[in-house]
């Protein structure tokens, strides 16, 4: 079955540290890729997305992600995190198969705690 | 606020009771999705509508679950004969896309269900 893996359950960083959160998916066909963020007490918000074109995509708040097709990966990065980046981050993949238009598969999420 | 809204935000019920949740999508969005999220997991797809037609259902959607979108606007998700395993956050999302296109989903705040 298709799946999305996020390698880290909980990441703790100090402010100004660099961040990289891993995401891998298991599907060899066409995909649309997303990172969503959920700040404490808030709902899921789209951070960035990849549909096609340049595999390095930039999102809001200085986040970026790189799609590496050969590795089935879509890792999220930020050069310097801030305390306000404390949140839970979800990788999500839409896999175009069998006419499926709705099936967005999420990873289990990574909690990021940034120490001031 | 023109985002996705969900009501109620919290629901506590006794095992065996029926519950119904409502989702109001972003007004011009033609697609509406339901997800379920349990502790420590990412959202899991339940079902989705394009306008009033329910086009896809997950195997997670047992026969106790039913969803409707009668006029292609708001949607309801009903759970009959609730079980303790139904306790979760139920998320609604909407998007605007046509035919075989796909577009990012915008999420509501969720309804947290607790079954005693």
């Amino acid at each position: 079955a298709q799946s999305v893996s996020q390698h880290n359950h909980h990441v703790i960083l100090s402010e100004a540290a660099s961040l990289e959160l891993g995401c891998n998916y298991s599907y060899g066909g066409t995909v649309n890729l997303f990172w969503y963020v959920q700040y404490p007490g808030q709902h899921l918000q789209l951070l960035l997305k990849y549909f096609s074109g340049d595999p390095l995509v930039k999102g809001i708040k200085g986040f970026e992600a790189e799609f590496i097709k050969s590795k089935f990966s879509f890792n999220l990065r930020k050069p310097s995190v801030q305390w306000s980046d404390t949140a839970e981050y979800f990788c999500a993949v839409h896999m175009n198969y069998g006419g499926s238009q709705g099936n967005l598969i999420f990873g289990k999420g990574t909690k990021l705690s940034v120490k001031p | 606020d023109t985002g996705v809204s969900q009501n109620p935000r919290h629901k506590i019920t006794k095992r065996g009771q029926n519950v119904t949740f409502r989702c109001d999508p972003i007004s011009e969005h033609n697609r509406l999705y339901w997800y379920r999220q349990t502790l420590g997991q990412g959202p899991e797809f339940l079902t989705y509508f394009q306008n009033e037609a329910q086009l896809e259902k997950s195997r997670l959607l047992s026969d106790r679950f039913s969803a409707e979108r009668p006029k292609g606007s708001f949607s309801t998700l009903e759970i009959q004969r609730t079980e303790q395993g139904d306790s979760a956050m139920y998320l609604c999302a909407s998007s605007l896309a046509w035919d075989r296109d796909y577009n990012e989903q915008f999420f509501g705040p969720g309804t947290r269900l607790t079954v005693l």
Side-chain angles (χ1 to χ4, degrees):
Chain A
Q2 291 80 10
S3 64
V4 177
S5 299
Q6 291 186 240
H7 313 304
N8 308 100
H9 178 63
H10 192 185
V11 173
I12 302 172
L13 296 173
S14 297
E15 275 194 316
S18 64
L19 170 71
E20 181 160 4
L21 301 181
C23 173
N24 286 87
Y25 62 93
S26 60
Y27 180 63
T30 304
V31 293
N32 301 312
L33 301 161
F34 307 85
W35 276 97
Y36 282 87
V37 61
Q38 188 166 27
Y39 297 103
Q42 297 187 26
H43 59 275
L44 281 166
Q45 301 172 39
L46 184 67
L47 202 53
L48 49 77
K49 62 185 179 184
Y50 171 81
F51 278 25
S52 63
D54 188 344
L56 184 63
V57 293
K58 295 189 184 300
I60 60 173
K61 303 185 180 184
F63 285 90
E64 64 179 30
E66 185 176 13
F67 171 46
I68 303 179
K69 190 174 181 179
S70 61
K71 295 184 177 180
F72 302 94
S73 69
F74 189 56
N75 293 353
L76 181 71
R77 299 194 292 249
K78 185 171 184 178
S80 175
V81 296
Q82 301 173 324
W83 177 78
S84 58
D85 293 325
T86 295
E88 190 158 18
Y89 294 80
F90 293 92
C91 179
V93 181
H94 176 248
M95 304 173 187
N96 289 311
Y97 67 95
S100 170
Q101 295 302 314
N103 201 1
L104 192 60
I105 300 175
F106 282 82
K108 291 187 177 183
T110 298
K111 288 184 181 177
L112 172 65
S113 299
V114 180
K115 298 184 293 185
Chain B
D1 188 347
T2 57
V4 178
S5 62
Q6 293 186 246
N7 287 288
R9 295 291 304 276
H10 303 273
K11 179 70 177 179
I12 300 174
T13 191
K14 292 183 179 179
R15 188 173 47 145
Q17 298 295 305
N18 298 344
V19 295
T20 300
F21 311 139
R22 176 177 170 129
C23 171
D24 287 89
I26 293 171
S27 60
E28 66 269 24
H29 283 185
N30 60 335
R31 290 186 180 170
L32 187 147
Y33 308 80
W34 285 99
Y35 292 83
R36 182 175 69 186
Q37 185 177 16
T38 53
L39 200 61
Q41 303 293 321
E44 295 173 293
F45 171 77
L46 292 178
T47 187
Y48 107 95
F49 293 83
Q50 177 153 312
N51 300 313
E52 66 276 7
Q54 188 173 18
L55 295 188
E56 193 171 342
K57 291 195 288 187
S58 160
R59 287 190 299 271
L60 293 175
L61 210 68
S62 77
D63 56 5
R64 296 185 297 105
F65 287 69
S66 63
E68 293 183 342
R69 195 182 182 199
K71 297 183 179 179
S73 56
F74 73 92
S75 175
T76 57
L77 177 68
E78 181 183 16
I79 309 174
Q80 296 182 327
R81 306 180 303 280
T82 52
E83 302 173 355
Q84 288 184 325
D86 296 331
S87 295
M89 177 74 85
Y90 289 85
L91 298 171
C92 177
S94 70
S95 73
L96 178 63
W98 298 100
D99 301 323
R100 296 183 63 81
D101 290 341
Y102 187 80
N103 210 345
E104 67 262 30
Q105 299 176 23
F106 295 83
F107 282 81
T111 295
R112 182 169 295 285
L113 173 66
T114 302
V115 182
L116 302 176

